[in-house]
Coordinates of all heavy atoms in Angstrom, one line a residue:
M1 N 52.4 139.3 147.2 CA 53.4 138.3 147.4 C 54.4 138.7 148.4 O 54.9 139.9 148.3 CB 54.0 137.8 146.1 CG 55.0 136.7 146.2 SD 55.5 136.3 144.6 CE 56.8 135.1 145.0
R2 N 54.8 137.9 149.3 CA 55.8 138.2 150.3 C 57.2 138.5 149.6 O 57.5 137.8 148.6 CB 56.0 137.1 151.3 CG 56.6 137.5 152.6 CD 56.5 136.3 153.5 NE 57.9 135.9 153.6 CZ 58.3 134.9 154.3 NH1 57.5 134.1 154.9 NH2 59.6 134.5 154.3
Q3 N 57.9 139.4 150.1 CA 59.3 139.7 149.5 C 60.1 138.4 149.7 O 59.8 137.6 150.6 CB 59.9 140.8 150.3 CG 59.4 142.2 149.9 CD 60.2 143.3 150.6 OE1 61.0 143.0 151.4 NE2 59.9 144.5 150.2
L4 N 61.2 138.4 149.0 CA 62.1 137.2 149.1 C 62.6 137.0 150.5 O 62.7 135.9 151.0 CB 63.3 137.4 148.1 CG 64.3 136.3 148.1 CD1 63.7 135.0 147.7 CD2 65.5 136.7 147.2
I5 N 62.7 138.1 151.2 CA 63.1 138.0 152.6 C 62.4 139.1 153.3 O 62.1 140.1 152.7 CB 64.6 138.1 152.8 CG1 65.0 137.8 154.2 CG2 65.1 139.5 152.4 CD1 66.5 137.6 154.4
G6 N 62.0 139.0 154.6 CA 61.3 140.0 155.3 C 61.9 141.3 155.2 O 61.2 142.3 155.0
R7 N 63.1 141.5 155.4 CA 63.8 142.8 155.3 C 64.9 142.6 154.3 O 65.8 141.8 154.5 CB 64.4 143.2 156.7 CG 63.5 143.4 157.7 CD 64.2 143.8 159.0 NE 65.3 143.0 159.2 CZ 66.3 143.2 160.1 NH1 66.2 144.2 160.9 NH2 67.3 142.4 160.2
R8 N 64.8 143.4 153.2 CA 65.8 143.3 152.2 C 67.2 143.6 152.7 O 68.2 143.2 152.2 CB 65.5 144.2 151.0 CG 64.2 143.8 150.3 CD 64.1 144.3 149.0 NE 64.2 143.2 148.2 CZ 63.8 143.2 146.9 NH1 63.5 144.3 146.3 NH2 63.9 142.1 146.2
S9 N 67.3 144.5 153.7 CA 68.6 144.9 154.3 C 69.3 143.7 154.9 O 70.5 143.7 155.2 CB 68.4 146.0 155.3 OG 67.6 145.5 156.4
A10 N 68.5 142.6 155.2 CA 69.2 141.4 155.8 C 69.9 140.6 154.8 O 70.7 139.8 155.1 CB 68.1 140.6 156.4
W11 N 69.7 140.9 153.5 CA 70.5 140.1 152.5 C 71.9 140.7 152.3 O 72.1 141.9 152.4 CB 69.8 140.3 151.1 CG 68.8 139.3 150.8 CD1 67.5 139.3 151.1 CD2 69.1 138.0 150.2 NE1 66.9 138.2 150.6 CE2 67.8 137.4 150.1 CE3 70.2 137.4 149.7 CZ2 67.7 136.1 149.5 CZ3 70.1 136.2 149.1 CH2 68.8 135.5 149.0
I12 N 72.8 139.9 152.1 CA 74.1 140.4 151.8 C 74.1 140.9 150.4 O 73.1 140.6 149.6 CB 75.2 139.3 151.9 CG1 74.9 138.1 151.1 CG2 75.4 139.0 153.4 CD1 75.9 137.0 151.1
A13 N 75.0 141.7 150.0 CA 74.9 142.4 148.7 C 75.0 141.3 147.5 O 74.4 141.5 146.5 CB 76.1 143.3 148.5
A14 N 75.6 140.3 147.8 CA 75.6 139.2 146.7 C 75.4 137.9 147.4 O 75.7 137.7 148.5 CB 77.0 139.3 146.0
V15 N 75.0 136.9 146.6 CA 74.7 135.6 147.1 C 75.6 134.6 146.3 O 75.7 134.7 145.1 CB 73.2 135.2 146.9 CG1 72.9 133.8 147.4 CG2 72.3 136.2 147.6
A16 N 76.2 133.7 147.0 CA 77.1 132.8 146.4 C 76.3 131.7 145.7 O 75.4 131.1 146.4 CB 78.1 132.2 147.4
I17 N 76.5 131.4 144.5 CA 75.9 130.2 143.8 C 77.0 129.2 143.7 O 78.1 129.4 143.2 CB 75.4 130.6 142.4 CG1 74.2 131.5 142.5 CG2 75.1 129.4 141.6 CD1 72.9 130.8 142.9
L18 N 76.6 128.0 144.2 CA 77.6 126.9 144.2 C 77.1 125.8 143.3 O 76.0 125.3 143.4 CB 77.7 126.3 145.6 CG 78.0 127.3 146.7 CD1 77.9 126.6 148.1 CD2 79.3 127.9 146.5
A19 N 77.9 125.4 142.3 CA 77.5 124.3 141.5 C 77.8 123.0 142.3 O 78.9 122.9 142.9 CB 78.3 124.3 140.2
L20 N 76.9 122.1 142.4 CA 77.1 121.0 143.3 C 78.2 120.0 142.8 O 78.6 119.2 143.6 CB 75.8 120.2 143.5 CG 74.9 120.8 144.5 CD1 73.7 119.8 144.8 CD2 75.6 121.1 145.8
A21 N 78.6 120.2 141.6 CA 79.7 119.3 141.2 C 81.0 119.7 141.9 O 82.0 119.9 141.2 CB 79.8 119.4 139.7
G22 N 80.9 119.8 143.2 CA 82.1 120.1 143.9 C 82.1 121.5 144.6 O 82.8 121.8 145.5
G23 N 81.2 122.4 144.1 CA 81.2 123.7 144.6 C 80.7 123.8 146.0 O 81.3 124.5 146.9
A24 N 79.7 123.1 146.4 CA 79.2 123.1 147.8 C 80.2 122.5 148.7 O 80.4 123.0 149.8 CB 77.8 122.4 147.9
A25 N 80.7 121.4 148.3 CA 81.7 120.7 149.2 C 82.9 121.6 149.3 O 83.5 121.7 150.4 CB 82.1 119.3 148.6
G26 N 83.3 122.3 148.3 CA 84.5 123.2 148.3 C 84.2 124.3 149.2 O 85.1 124.8 149.9
A27 N 83.0 124.8 149.2 CA 82.6 126.0 150.1 C 82.7 125.6 151.5 O 83.0 126.4 152.4 CB 81.2 126.5 149.7
A28 N 82.2 124.4 151.8 CA 82.2 123.9 153.2 C 83.6 123.9 153.8 O 83.8 124.2 154.9 CB 81.6 122.5 153.3
G29 N 84.6 123.6 152.9 CA 86.0 123.5 153.4 C 86.8 124.7 153.0 O 88.0 124.7 153.2
A30 N 86.2 125.8 152.5 CA 86.9 126.9 152.0 C 87.7 127.6 153.1 O 88.7 128.3 152.8 CB 85.9 127.9 151.3
A31 N 87.2 127.6 154.3 CA 87.9 128.3 155.4 C 89.2 127.6 155.7 O 90.1 128.2 156.4 CB 87.0 128.4 156.6
Q32 N 89.4 126.4 155.4 CA 90.6 125.7 155.7 C 91.6 126.0 154.6 O 91.3 126.2 153.5 CB 90.3 124.1 155.7 CG 89.3 123.7 156.7 CD 88.9 122.3 156.5 OE1 89.4 121.6 155.6 NE2 88.1 121.8 157.4
A33 N 92.9 126.1 155.0 CA 94.0 126.3 154.1 C 94.2 125.1 153.2 O 94.0 124.0 153.6 CB 95.3 126.6 154.9
A34 N 94.6 125.4 152.0 CA 94.8 124.3 151.0 C 96.1 123.6 151.5 O 97.1 124.3 151.9 CB 95.0 124.9 149.6
P35 N 96.2 122.3 151.3 CA 97.4 121.6 151.6 C 98.6 122.1 150.8 O 98.4 122.6 149.7 CB 97.0 120.1 151.3 CG 95.6 120.1 151.2 CD 95.1 121.4 150.8
P36 N 99.8 122.0 151.4 CA 101.0 122.5 150.6 C 101.0 121.8 149.3 O 100.8 120.6 149.1 CB 102.1 122.0 151.5 CG 101.5 121.9 152.9 CD 100.1 121.4 152.7
G37 N 101.4 122.6 148.3 CA 101.6 122.0 146.9 C 100.3 121.9 146.2 O 100.2 121.4 145.0
T38 N 99.1 122.4 146.7 CA 97.9 122.4 146.0 C 97.3 123.8 145.9 O 97.8 124.7 146.6 CB 96.8 121.5 146.8 OG1 96.5 122.1 148.0 CG2 97.3 120.1 146.9
Q39 N 96.4 123.9 145.0 CA 95.8 125.2 144.8 C 94.5 125.4 145.7 O 93.7 124.5 145.8 CB 95.4 125.4 143.3 CG 95.1 126.7 142.9 CD 94.9 126.8 141.4 OE1 94.8 125.8 140.7 NE2 94.9 128.0 140.9
A40 N 94.4 126.6 146.3 CA 93.2 126.8 147.0 C 91.9 126.8 146.1 O 92.0 127.2 144.9 CB 93.3 128.2 147.7
P41 N 90.8 126.4 146.6 CA 89.6 126.4 145.8 C 89.2 127.8 145.4 O 89.4 128.7 146.1 CB 88.5 125.8 146.7 CG 89.0 125.8 148.0 CD 90.5 125.9 148.0
A42 N 88.7 127.9 144.1 CA 88.2 129.2 143.6 C 87.0 129.6 144.4 O 86.2 128.8 144.9 CB 87.9 129.1 142.1
E43 N 86.9 130.9 144.5 CA 85.7 131.5 145.2 C 84.5 131.3 144.3 O 84.6 131.5 143.1 CB 85.8 133.0 145.5 CG 84.6 133.5 146.2 CD 85.0 134.7 147.0 OE1 86.1 134.8 147.5 OE2 84.1 135.6 147.1
P44 N 83.3 130.8 144.8 CA 82.2 130.6 144.0 C 81.7 131.9 143.4 O 81.9 133.0 144.0 CB 81.1 130.1 144.9 CG 81.6 130.3 146.3 CD 83.1 130.6 146.2
P45 N 81.0 131.9 142.2 CA 80.5 133.1 141.6 C 79.4 133.7 142.5 O 78.8 133.0 143.3 CB 79.9 132.6 140.3 CG 79.8 131.1 140.4 CD 80.8 130.7 141.5
R46 N 79.2 135.0 142.4 CA 78.2 135.7 143.2 C 77.2 136.3 142.2 O 77.5 136.7 141.2 CB 78.9 136.8 144.0 CG 79.8 136.2 145.0 CD 80.5 137.3 145.8 NE 81.4 136.7 146.7 CZ 81.1 136.3 148.0 NH1 79.9 136.6 148.4 NH2 82.0 135.8 148.8
I47 N 75.9 136.3 142.7 CA 74.8 136.9 142.0 C 74.0 137.7 142.9 O 74.1 137.6 144.1 CB 74.0 135.9 141.2 CG1 73.2 135.0 142.2 CG2 74.8 135.1 140.2 CD1 72.2 134.1 141.4
M48 N 73.2 138.6 142.4 CA 72.3 139.5 143.2 C 71.1 138.7 143.6 O 70.6 137.8 143.0 CB 71.9 140.7 142.3 CG 73.1 141.5 141.9 SD 74.2 142.1 143.3 CE 73.1 143.1 144.2
P49 N 70.5 139.2 144.7 CA 69.3 138.5 145.3 C 68.1 138.4 144.2 O 67.4 137.4 144.2 CB 68.9 139.4 146.5 CG 70.2 139.9 146.9 CD 71.0 140.2 145.7
A50 N 67.9 139.4 143.4 CA 66.9 139.4 142.4 C 67.1 138.2 141.4 O 66.1 137.6 141.0 CB 66.8 140.7 141.7
E51 N 68.3 137.9 141.1 CA 68.6 136.8 140.2 C 68.3 135.5 140.9 O 67.8 134.6 140.3 CB 70.1 136.9 139.8 CG 70.4 138.1 138.9 CD 71.9 138.1 138.6 OE1 72.3 137.5 137.7 OE2 72.6 138.8 139.4
V52 N 68.6 135.4 142.2 CA 68.3 134.2 142.9 C 66.8 134.0 143.0 O 66.3 132.9 142.8 CB 68.9 134.2 144.4 CG1 68.4 133.0 145.2 CG2 70.4 134.3 144.3
K53 N 66.1 135.0 143.2 CA 64.6 134.9 143.3 C 64.0 134.4 142.0 O 63.2 133.6 141.9 CB 64.0 136.3 143.6 CG 62.5 136.3 143.8 CD 62.0 137.6 144.3 CE 60.5 137.6 144.5 NZ 60.0 138.9 145.0
A54 N 64.6 135.0 140.8 CA 64.1 134.5 139.5 C 64.4 133.0 139.3 O 63.5 132.3 138.8 CB 64.7 135.4 138.4
L55 N 65.6 132.6 139.6 CA 66.0 131.2 139.5 C 65.1 130.3 140.4 O 64.7 129.2 140.0 CB 67.5 131.0 139.8 CG 68.4 131.6 138.8 CD1 69.9 131.5 139.3 CD2 68.3 130.8 137.5
A56 N 64.9 130.8 141.6 CA 64.1 130.0 142.5 C 62.6 129.8 142.0 O 62.0 128.8 142.1 CB 64.1 130.6 143.9
A57 N 62.1 130.9 141.4 CA 60.7 130.8 140.9 C 60.6 129.8 139.8 O 59.6 129.2 139.5 CB 60.3 132.2 140.3
K58 N 61.7 129.5 139.1 CA 61.8 128.6 138.0 C 62.2 127.2 138.5 O 62.3 126.2 137.7 CB 62.8 129.0 136.9 CG 62.4 130.3 136.2 CD 63.5 130.7 135.2 CE 63.2 132.0 134.6 NZ 64.3 132.4 133.7
G59 N 62.4 127.1 139.8 CA 62.8 125.8 140.4 C 64.2 125.4 140.0 O 64.6 124.2 140.1
K60 N 65.1 126.3 139.7 CA 66.4 126.0 139.2 C 67.5 126.2 140.4 O 68.6 125.9 140.1 CB 66.8 126.9 138.1 CG 66.0 126.6 136.8 CD 66.5 127.4 135.7 CE 65.7 127.0 134.4 NZ 66.3 127.7 133.2
V61 N 67.0 126.6 141.5 CA 68.0 126.9 142.6 C 67.4 126.5 143.9 O 66.1 126.7 144.1 CB 68.5 128.3 142.6 CG1 67.4 129.3 142.9 CG2 69.7 128.5 143.5
L62 N 68.2 126.1 144.8 CA 67.7 125.8 146.2 C 68.4 126.9 147.1 O 69.7 127.0 147.0 CB 68.1 124.4 146.7 CG 67.8 124.2 148.2 CD1 66.3 124.2 148.5 CD2 68.5 122.9 148.6
I63 N 67.7 127.6 147.9 CA 68.3 128.7 148.7 C 68.6 128.1 150.1 O 67.7 127.5 150.7 CB 67.3 129.9 148.9 CG1 66.9 130.4 147.5 CG2 67.9 130.9 149.7 CD1 65.8 131.4 147.5
V64 N 69.8 128.2 150.5 CA 70.3 127.7 151.8 C 70.7 128.8 152.7 O 71.7 129.5 152.3 CB 71.4 126.6 151.6 CG1 71.9 126.1 152.9 CG2 71.0 125.5 150.7
D65 N 70.1 128.9 153.8 CA 70.5 129.9 154.8 C 71.5 129.2 155.7 O 71.2 128.2 156.4 CB 69.2 130.3 155.6 CG 69.5 131.4 156.6 OD1 70.6 131.4 157.2 OD2 68.5 132.2 156.9
V66 N 72.7 129.7 155.7 CA 73.8 129.0 156.5 C 74.0 129.7 157.9 O 75.0 129.3 158.5 CB 75.1 129.0 155.7 CG1 74.9 128.1 154.4 CG2 75.6 130.4 155.3
R67 N 73.1 130.5 158.3 CA 73.2 131.1 159.7 C 72.7 130.0 160.7 O 72.1 129.0 160.3 CB 72.3 132.3 159.7 CG 72.7 133.4 158.8 CD 71.8 134.6 158.8 NE 70.4 134.1 158.4 CZ 69.3 134.7 158.8 NH1 69.3 135.8 159.5 NH2 68.1 134.3 158.4
D68 N 72.8 130.4 162.0 CA 72.4 129.5 163.0 C 70.8 129.4 163.0 O 70.2 130.3 162.4 CB 72.9 129.9 164.4 CG 72.4 131.3 164.7 OD1 71.2 131.5 165.1 OD2 73.2 132.3 164.6
K69 N 70.3 128.4 163.6 CA 68.8 128.1 163.6 C 68.0 129.3 164.2 O 67.0 129.6 163.7 CB 68.5 126.8 164.3 CG 67.0 126.5 164.2 CD 66.7 125.1 164.7 CE 65.2 124.7 164.7 NZ 64.2 125.6 164.2
A70 N 68.5 129.9 165.2 CA 67.8 131.0 165.9 C 67.7 132.2 164.9 O 66.6 132.8 164.8 CB 68.5 131.5 167.1
S71 N 68.7 132.5 164.2 CA 68.6 133.6 163.2 C 67.7 133.2 162.0 O 66.9 134.0 161.6 CB 70.0 133.9 162.6 OG 70.9 134.3 163.6
Y72 N 67.7 132.0 161.6 CA 66.8 131.5 160.5 C 65.4 131.6 161.0 O 64.5 132.0 160.3 CB 67.2 130.0 160.2 CG 66.2 129.4 159.2 CD1 66.4 129.6 157.9 CD2 65.2 128.6 159.7 CE1 65.5 128.9 157.0 CE2 64.3 127.9 158.8 CZ 64.5 128.1 157.4 OH 63.6 127.5 156.6
D73 N 65.1 131.2 162.3 CA 63.7 131.2 162.8 C 63.2 132.6 162.9 O 62.0 132.8 162.7 CB 63.7 130.5 164.2 CG 63.8 129.0 164.1 OD1 63.7 128.4 163.0 OD2 64.1 128.4 165.1
L74 N 64.0 133.6 163.1 CA 63.6 135.0 163.2 C 63.2 135.5 161.8 O 62.2 136.2 161.7 CB 64.7 135.9 163.8 CG 64.9 135.8 165.3 CD1 66.2 136.6 165.6 CD2 63.7 136.3 166.0
E75 N 63.9 135.1 160.8 CA 63.7 135.7 159.5 C 64.6 135.0 158.5 O 65.7 134.7 158.8 CB 64.0 137.2 159.5 CG 63.8 137.9 158.2 CD 64.0 139.4 158.4 OE1 65.2 139.8 158.7 OE2 63.0 140.1 158.3
H76 N 64.0 134.6 157.3 CA 64.8 134.0 156.3 C 64.2 134.2 154.9 O 63.0 134.6 154.8 CB 65.0 132.5 156.5 CG 63.7 131.8 156.7 ND1 63.0 131.6 157.9 CD2 62.9 131.1 155.8 CE1 61.9 130.9 157.7 NE2 61.8 130.6 156.4
A77 N 64.9 134.0 153.9 CA 64.4 134.1 152.5 C 63.3 133.1 152.3 O 63.3 132.0 152.8 CB 65.6 133.8 151.5
E78 N 62.3 133.5 151.6 CA 61.2 132.7 151.2 C 61.7 131.4 150.5 O 62.4 131.5 149.6 CB 60.2 133.4 150.3 CG 58.9 132.7 150.0 CD 58.0 133.5 149.2 OE1 58.0 134.7 149.3 OE2 57.2 132.9 148.5
G79 N 61.3 130.3 151.0 CA 61.6 129.0 150.4 C 63.0 128.4 150.8 O 63.4 127.4 150.4
A80 N 63.7 129.2 151.7 CA 65.1 128.8 152.1 C 65.0 127.6 153.1 O 64.1 127.6 153.9 CB 65.8 129.9 152.7
I81 N 66.0 126.8 153.0 CA 66.2 125.8 154.1 C 67.3 126.2 154.9 O 68.1 127.1 154.5 CB 66.4 124.4 153.5 CG1 67.8 124.3 152.7 CG2 65.3 123.9 152.6 CD1 68.2 122.9 152.4
N82 N 67.4 125.7 156.1 CA 68.5 126.1 157.0 C 69.5 124.9 157.2 O 69.1 123.9 157.7 CB 67.9 126.5 158.4 CG 68.9 126.9 159.4 OD1 69.0 126.4 160.5 ND2 69.8 127.8 159.0
I83 N 70.7 125.2 156.9 CA 71.8 124.3 157.2 C 72.9 125.2 157.7 O 73.6 125.8 156.9 CB 72.3 123.5 155.9 CG1 71.2 122.6 155.4 CG2 73.5 122.6 156.3 CD1 71.5 121.8 154.2
P84 N 73.1 125.3 159.0 CA 74.2 126.1 159.5 C 75.5 125.8 158.9 O 75.8 124.6 158.6 CB 74.2 125.8 161.0 CG 72.8 125.4 161.3 CD 72.4 124.6 160.1
L85 N 76.4 126.8 158.6 CA 77.6 126.6 157.9 C 78.5 125.5 158.6 O 79.1 124.7 157.8 CB 78.4 127.9 157.9 CG 79.7 128.0 157.1 CD1 79.4 127.6 155.6 CD2 80.3 129.3 157.1
G86 N 78.5 125.5 159.9 CA 79.3 124.5 160.5 C 78.9 123.0 160.3 O 79.6 122.1 160.6
M87 N 77.6 122.9 159.8 CA 77.1 121.6 159.6 C 77.0 121.2 158.1 O 76.6 120.1 157.7 CB 75.7 121.5 160.2 CG 75.6 121.7 161.7 SD 73.9 121.7 162.3 CE 73.5 120.0 162.1
L88 N 77.4 122.2 157.3 CA 77.2 122.0 155.8 C 77.9 120.8 155.3 O 77.3 120.0 154.5 CB 77.7 123.2 155.1 CG 77.4 123.3 153.6 CD1 75.9 123.1 153.3 CD2 77.9 124.6 153.0
E89 N 79.1 120.6 155.7 CA 79.9 119.4 155.1 C 79.2 118.1 155.5 O 79.1 117.2 154.7 CB 81.3 119.5 155.6 CG 82.2 118.4 154.9 CD 83.7 118.6 155.2 OE1 84.0 119.5 156.0 OE2 84.5 117.9 154.7
S90 N 78.7 118.0 156.8 CA 78.1 116.7 157.2 C 76.7 116.5 156.6 O 76.2 115.4 156.6 CB 78.1 116.7 158.7 OG 77.2 117.6 159.3
R91 N 76.1 117.6 156.2 CA 74.7 117.5 155.6 C 74.7 117.7 154.1 O 73.6 117.8 153.5 CB 73.8 118.5 156.3 CG 73.7 118.2 157.8 CD 72.8 119.2 158.5 NE 71.5 119.2 158.0 CZ 70.6 120.2 158.3 NH1 70.9 121.1 159.2 NH2 69.4 120.2 157.7
I92 N 75.8 117.7 153.5 CA 75.9 117.9 152.0 C 75.0 117.0 151.2 O 74.5 117.3 150.2 CB 77.4 117.9 151.5 CG1 77.5 118.7 150.2 CG2 77.9 116.5 151.4 CD1 77.6 120.1 150.4
A93 N 74.8 115.7 151.7 CA 74.0 114.8 151.0 C 72.5 115.2 150.9 O 71.8 114.7 150.0 CB 74.1 113.4 151.6
E94 N 72.1 116.1 151.7 CA 70.7 116.6 151.7 C 70.4 117.5 150.6 O 69.3 117.8 150.2 CB 70.4 117.3 153.0 CG 70.4 116.5 154.3 CD 70.2 117.3 155.5 OE1 69.4 118.3 155.5 OE2 70.8 116.9 156.5
L95 N 71.5 118.0 149.9 CA 71.3 119.0 148.9 C 71.1 118.3 147.5 O 71.8 117.3 147.2 CB 72.5 119.9 148.8 CG 72.8 120.7 150.0 CD1 74.1 121.5 149.9 CD2 71.7 121.6 150.4
P96 N 70.2 118.8 146.7 CA 69.9 118.1 145.4 C 71.1 118.3 144.5 O 71.8 119.3 144.5 CB 68.7 118.9 144.9 CG 68.8 120.3 145.6 CD 69.4 120.0 146.9
K97 N 71.3 117.3 143.6 CA 72.3 117.4 142.7 C 71.9 118.0 141.3 O 72.7 118.3 140.5 CB 72.9 115.9 142.4 CG 73.5 115.3 143.7 CD 74.1 114.0 143.4 CE 74.6 113.2 144.5 NZ 75.4 113.8 145.5
D98 N 70.6 118.2 141.2 CA 70.1 118.7 139.9 C 69.7 120.2 140.0 O 69.1 120.7 139.0 CB 68.8 117.9 139.5 CG 67.7 118.0 140.5 OD1 67.9 118.4 141.7 OD2 66.5 117.7 140.1
K99 N 70.2 120.9 141.0 CA 69.9 122.3 141.1 C 71.2 123.0 141.6 O 72.0 122.4 142.2 CB 68.8 122.6 142.2 CG 67.4 122.1 141.8 CD 66.4 122.5 142.9 CE 65.1 122.0 142.5 NZ 64.1 122.4 143.5
Q100 N 71.2 124.3 141.3 CA 72.3 125.1 141.8 C 71.9 125.4 143.3 O 70.7 125.4 143.6 CB 72.4 126.4 141.0 CG 73.0 126.2 139.7 CD 73.2 127.5 139.0 OE1 72.4 128.4 139.0 NE2 74.3 127.7 138.3
I101 N 72.9 125.8 144.1 CA 72.6 126.1 145.5 C 73.0 127.5 145.7 O 74.1 128.0 145.4 CB 73.5 125.2 146.4 CG1 73.3 123.7 146.1 CG2 73.3 125.5 147.8 CD1 71.8 123.2 146.3
A102 N 72.1 128.3 146.2 CA 72.4 129.7 146.6 C 72.5 129.7 148.1 O 71.5 129.5 148.8 CB 71.3 130.6 146.1
A103 N 73.7 130.0 148.6 CA 73.9 130.0 150.1 C 74.0 131.5 150.5 O 74.6 132.3 149.8 CB 75.2 129.3 150.4
Y104 N 73.4 131.9 151.6 CA 73.5 133.2 152.1 C 73.6 133.3 153.6 O 73.2 132.4 154.3 CB 72.3 134.1 151.6 CG 71.0 133.9 152.3 CD1 70.7 134.7 153.4 CD2 70.1 132.9 152.0 CE1 69.5 134.5 154.1 CE2 69.0 132.7 152.7 CZ 68.7 133.5 153.7 OH 67.5 133.2 154.4
C105 N 74.1 134.4 154.1 CA 74.2 134.7 155.5 C 74.3 136.2 155.7 O 74.7 136.9 154.8 CB 75.4 134.0 156.1 SG 77.0 134.7 155.6
T106 N 73.9 136.7 156.8 CA 74.1 138.1 157.2 C 74.3 138.2 158.6 O 74.0 137.4 159.4 CB 72.8 138.9 156.8 OG1 71.7 138.4 157.5 CG2 72.6 139.0 155.3

């Protein structure tokens, strides 16, 4: 069976898991400063690639590669879809509401 990704070194040490009940939308806007008088969104929890692979095998997680298309085309995690980070907010409706989302980049 093919490894989760062609080169394990391409994985970041941890993968963010976003609960779709606001987690993915929050991550898309996380780079923006919180408006005055409001609290910045919490950083999503992180898990190791092996945990993501186990969840994906059970159909409980969707893996999203948030790198540009050229990087995705060269190599990506098995089963991952590509939604570049800059497009995540506009494409958020494409993500399932019944699964956790594991987003990664390197």
Side-chain angles (χ1 to χ4, degrees):
M1 182 174 172
R2 201 175 109 184
Q3 287 185 350
L4 180 60
I5 190 166
R7 293 180 319 168
R8 295 199 117 165
S9 62
W11 269 92
I12 56 176
V15 178
I17 287 286
L18 309 173
L20 276 191
Q32 300 172 358
T38 63
Q39 191 172 17
E43 181 154 329
R46 296 177 181 268
I47 66 171
M48 299 305 295
E51 294 174 85
V52 174
K53 185 176 181 178
L55 288 169
K58 296 176 184 175
K60 294 184 177 186
V61 69
L62 174 67
I63 303 170
V64 180
D65 185 324
V66 295
R67 301 173 300 156
D68 60 76
K69 183 167 177 9
S71 297
Y72 174 84
D73 288 343
L74 285 174
E75 179 175 69
H76 57 271
E78 184 177 333
I81 65 167
N82 179 233
I83 300 179
L85 187 58
M87 299 176 70
L88 187 57
E89 190 171 3
S90 66
R91 294 179 60 189
I92 201 80
E94 295 176 34
L95 300 176
K97 296 184 189 309
D98 62 340
K99 293 183 181 182
Q100 290 183 317
I101 304 301
Y104 77 92
C105 66
T106 57

